Amino acid sequence: MNQQASLANKPSLSAISISREAVIEFSRYKDEPDWLRQRRLAAWELFERIPMPTLKDEEWRRTDLRGLKLQEIAPNSRTTGSPNGLTTEAREMIDLRDEQAGLLIHHDSENVYRQLSEKLAGQGVIFTDLDAAVREHPELVKRYFMTDAVKPEYNKFSALHGALFSAGSVLYVPEGVQVTVPLRSCLWTDSEKLGVFPHTLIVADKGSDVLFIDEFRSPDQSEQAFSSGVVELIVNEGARLRYVSIQEYGRQFWNFVVNRAIVHRDATLISLSVAFGGGFHKANVESILVEPGARAEMYGLLLGVQNQFFDHHTLQDHVAPNTTSNLLYKCALTDSARSVYSGLIRAHKAAQKTDAIQTNRNLLLSDHSRADSIPKLEIEANDLRCTHAATISPIDEEQLFYLLARGLDRKTATLLIVEGFFESLLAMAPLKSLHDRLLRTIARKIGAGELPGLDLAESWEEVAKEA
């Protein structure tokens, strides 16, 4: 099933700032039903009521928002209706050579391409953009969209997202369906002073199995850009969901994201969050284990250079007994880059036999980089095992000397050490092209050079034919 998203005959959007009028205009532009427009407006009211976080708020006291110029951001944009309208840079970043069961391509505020294999479509799999899901599967959207996993009132930026969400991906995997080949969504944004609000909704029904890759990218720009994203993951009884998120926004981006999973009886969530881009990146990543046998594995990979700032708050929330979670976040920083990691394992009173591990490792590659690590436990049960650990250390000079003594220059030696530090997480990349691209990005950011680009013209010609 191959479809090109069409934007024909849609009115132009004015470049107005974020406001209630922008919410109404965007909903009209999308030709949305009244129930969805009312949800947007209710979220906007929440956004206006919730105060902007300050350094006096516990979660934000190491996170300075004073440089955010939200009043200068346009909340949406009319864009091209074809993947051929993307820049050459965007096409090269979206490697289409690997086998994939489905693909969504978003440009700024719109979906421009969607494809799903005939086999999966015949098995009842729904994989489409949010606009199409509202038209074609309204009950699915009404039931799950910002109702259980992430509600608009979660924080000020999730409320803003609930009012202005755009370029969303919706995946529903029916009971017992095994998706053995990855499904993939790619967002490319390149408009100046634009706010994007990507939404990912995944529902893995009872006994299903699926792998999803979510990618967010932009070029470096001269003006500040903004993103407020929400990821909702519903993993029903006995299902397994593997979710990979890769953020490679340009250096002017202020990126906020809430990623929240609800994991049911005997279900498994395996998530990998990769953050390379943005000048400012704030992520809340949470797994809520609501029934016995639920399991969550949460992994993170962060690399910061120059004056990039990363702030990750994670939650392993054990609500039911006999649940398991394992978290490992690794961060490498150079130049004046900084990261803040704050992780909480919470075991409710009923969550006996909880088994939870939380680990944060930080590697400092310069004297001016800084990492703050704050692991926390909140324990109400009395029969469980919960452990946490955090390390912050400079690069090992003995390792560096060993490599230099064998003829490597300092940048190449540093790159090898960083790759070794990240190796266990890089191995989780589900596609060879993705693994190779992550290695190239690490090399470029460390300053050890860049591998030659790939020739993807033939792949993109095939996409154009399908569209």
Side-chain angles (χ1 to χ4, degrees), residues 108-126:
D108 291 345
S109 302
E110 302 287 350
N111 174 262
V112 297
Y113 181 81
R114 54 188 172 118
Q115 177 266 330
L116 177 66
S117 73
E118 294 286 354
K119 178 181 178 181
L120 291 182
Q123 292 178 306
V125 172
I126 297 170

Side-chain angles (χ1 to χ4, degrees), residues 30-58:
K30 293 282 190 179
D31 194 23
E32 292 176 339
D34 185 66
W35 64 266
L36 190 55
R37 184 176 300 110
Q38 294 306 315
R39 284 197 185 186
R40 285 188 184 272
L41 292 173
W44 174 259
E45 292 176 1
L46 282 170
F47 170 74
E48 289 192 306
R49 289 202 304 267
I50 299 173
M52 182 68 75
T54 71
L55 295 173
K56 295 181 180 180
D57 298 304
E58 176 60 29

Side-chain angles (χ1 to χ4, degrees), residues 69-368:
K69 303 173 183 177
L70 201 56
Q71 71 280 1
E72 297 180 9
I73 298 296
N76 40 58
S77 170
R78 184 172 63 85
T79 187
T80 175
S82 167
N84 286 331
L86 299 180
T87 64
T88 301
E89 182 182 8
R91 294 186 189 186
E92 288 179 352
M93 296 182 79
I94 304 174
D95 192 331
L96 303 175
R97 298 171 305 158
D98 286 297
E99 184 182 6
Q100 47 201 355
L103 173 65
L104 294 176
I105 301 175
H106 310 283
H107 183 206
D108 291 345
S109 302
E110 302 287 350
N111 174 262
V112 297
Y113 181 81
R114 54 188 172 118
Q115 177 266 330
L116 177 66
S117 73
E118 294 286 354
K119 178 181 178 181
L120 291 182
Q123 292 178 306
V125 172
I126 297 170
F127 181 53
T128 188
D129 61 281
L130 184 55
D131 291 344
V134 169
R135 295 190 304 269
E136 301 165 11
H137 309 283
E139 295 307 315
L140 179 65
V141 178
K142 285 182 180 180
R143 169 64 185 85
Y144 291 107
F145 180 78
M146 300 194 81
T147 58
D148 291 345
V150 181
K151 296 182 180 181
E153 57 264 32
Y154 181 90
N155 64 25
K156 188 172 184 67
F157 296 100
S158 63
L160 183 60
H161 175 96
L164 289 166
F165 58 86
S166 60
S169 302
V170 176
L171 170 63
Y172 171 75
V173 185
E175 180 176 343
V177 172
Q178 310 292 300
V179 183
T180 58
V181 179
L183 295 160
R184 190 175 175 202
S185 173
C186 303
L187 168 68
W188 172 260
T189 178
D190 53 9
S191 297
E192 294 284 349
K193 292 188 176 181
L194 179 67
V196 291
F197 302 85
H199 193 100
T200 299
L201 171 61
I202 302 175
V203 181
D205 219 334
K206 183 177 179 180
S208 63
D209 192 340
V210 64
L211 166 60
F212 190 90
I213 304 171
D214 226 355
E215 302 177 60
F216 308 90
R217 306 196 190 106
S218 79
D220 286 332
Q221 297 172 315
S222 59
E223 301 285 352
Q224 188 175 110
F226 174 83
S227 175
S228 177
V230 166
V231 178
E232 301 186 281
L233 309 175
I234 312 297
V235 194
N236 285 323
E237 181 179 348
R240 183 175 71 151
L241 168 60
R242 290 164 289 168
Y243 175 80
V244 178
S245 172
I246 302 172
Q247 186 271 103
E248 293 184 86
Y249 284 134
R251 292 295 313 284
Q252 293 298 321
F253 252 90
W254 286 64
N255 180 53
F256 300 81
V257 62
V258 178
N259 178 330
R260 205 159 189 259
I262 308 295
V263 189
H264 291 271
R265 183 181 298 272
D266 299 324
T268 298
L269 168 73
I270 303 172
S271 66
L272 171 63
S273 298
V274 178
F276 284 160
F280 176 101
H281 173 86
K282 170 75 167 74
N284 293 75
V285 185
E286 304 183 358
S287 294
I288 318 301
L289 310 173
V290 296
E291 292 183 304
R295 178 181 181 85
E297 298 180 24
M298 304 164 64
Y299 303 101
L301 189 161
L302 294 81
L303 176 59
V305 301
Q306 297 181 21
N307 61 346
Q308 285 183 284
F309 176 83
F310 297 97
D311 180 357
H312 277 74
H313 277 64
T314 67
L315 172 63
Q316 298 153 262
D317 198 7
H318 293 258
V319 178
N322 297 290
T323 53
T324 304
S325 68
N326 182 19
L327 179 145
L328 173 62
Y329 268 60
K330 288 189 174 184
C331 175
L333 303 169
T334 190
D335 303 323
S336 298
R338 184 183 174 191
S339 76
V340 175
Y341 171 80
S342 178
L344 172 64
I345 296 175
R346 177 188 294 144
H348 293 245
K349 189 173 183 179
Q352 306 294 342
K353 304 296 184 182
T354 286
D355 188 352
I357 303 172
Q358 177 192 108
T359 308
N360 176 226
R361 308 288 188 199
N362 299 278
L363 180 64
L364 303 182
L365 306 178
S366 79
D367 294 336
H368 302 290

